[in-house]
Amino acid sequence: MEQERIFYHGSIIGGLDTILANSKSHTDGNRVAYFTEDRVYALVCCRSREENLVTMGPRDGVQHYFERFPDQLRVIYGGKEGFIYRPVSAGTLEHTRDHTWESHEDVPVVLHEHVPDVYTAILEEEKAGNVVIHRYDEIDPAEQKDHANHLRDYALNNPQLTYRDFLIEHFSKLWE
């Protein structure tokens, strides 16, 4: 017997009753509402659009978070609250890849969890073995430089980018 899937949507906005299909799909480019089966990933989604830097992905069934500038995790999530929602029904959700599920329709939700400090919650997930955090100082300097320069080119070539100022603030001192 297959276990029932649990889906999450992380946000910095409290009091939601619907997750709107207003994000761009990574698979077909249409508007979708995103959900995940991974609570850690939902926590990482509890950030503003102005700090839209996700540097995490699964490896061997466990999430790995890579800090790409010093103290990135604390800067983005420290002292900030988040909200984890669950869909009322998963009927419109379609699996796309890894931990990601999409709905082309708005999805009614219920509040599953209020997270007073997202940074603390992520660190607790690290202690529980649900995420591996690669701190900035632990990552090869050449890899960090390559990543910073890639983001430089991306930010400078996309003046309408909502998190461009964030990238410039945190990465410009790392650029060549």
Side-chain angles (χ1 to χ4, degrees):
M1 181 173 192
E2 188 176 327
Q3 188 175 2
E4 180 184 353
R5 296 181 189 272
I6 298 174
F7 299 101
Y8 306 100
H9 177 90
S11 178
I12 59 171
I13 303 169
L16 297 176
D17 60 9
T18 304
I19 302 303
L20 301 177
N22 63 3
S23 296
K24 185 177 179 181
S25 171
H26 298 299
T27 57
D28 65 17
N30 291 318
R31 293 291 171 194
V32 296
Y34 277 111
F35 287 83
T36 180
E37 292 179 82
D38 189 325
R39 181 179 175 274
V40 177
Y41 194 81
L43 285 169
V44 170
C45 290
C46 295
R47 67 191 183 294
S48 72
R49 289 184 186 261
E50 290 76 28
E51 299 174 326
N52 193 20
L53 183 67
V54 178
T55 55
M56 184 168 94
R59 286 188 182 173
D60 302 321
V62 177
Q63 290 287 358
H64 286 252
Y65 186 97
F66 295 85
E67 286 192 326
R68 296 303 184 182
F69 63 85
D71 223 10
Q72 174 181 322
L73 202 63
R74 184 192 54 75
V75 168
I76 295 176
Y77 302 103
K80 297 175 183 171
E81 71 179 334
F83 301 88
I84 306 290
Y85 296 94
R86 298 218 24 227
V88 172
S89 167
T92 63
L93 298 182
E94 298 174 19
H95 186 238
T96 53
R97 64 179 178 179
D98 298 327
H99 56 267
T100 304
W101 293 71
E102 298 177 353
S103 172
H104 289 89
E105 300 174 27
D106 297 345
V107 179
V109 294
V110 294
L111 179 63
H112 174 68
E113 179 182 2
H114 171 243
V115 182
D117 186 321
V118 177
Y119 177 65
T120 299
I122 293 171
L123 294 181
E124 288 170 2
E125 292 288 347
E126 178 187 32
K127 287 179 190 171
N130 298 326
V131 62
V132 176
I133 299 173
H134 302 270
R135 269 66 181 188
Y136 182 79
D137 294 342
E138 301 167 354
I139 299 174
D140 176 38
E143 180 184 336
Q144 294 294 38
K145 184 64 73 180
D146 287 346
H147 193 81
N149 288 336
H150 170 75
L151 287 175
R152 172 200 61 209
D153 297 343
Y154 183 67
L156 297 179
N157 289 321
N158 292 284
Q160 304 303 323
L161 193 65
T162 57
Y163 58 102
R164 184 174 188 258
D165 291 342
F166 174 83
L167 293 177
I168 291 169
E169 176 185 351
H170 293 287
F171 286 95
S172 62
K173 59 186 168 277
L174 307 173
W175 296 339
E176 291 182 336

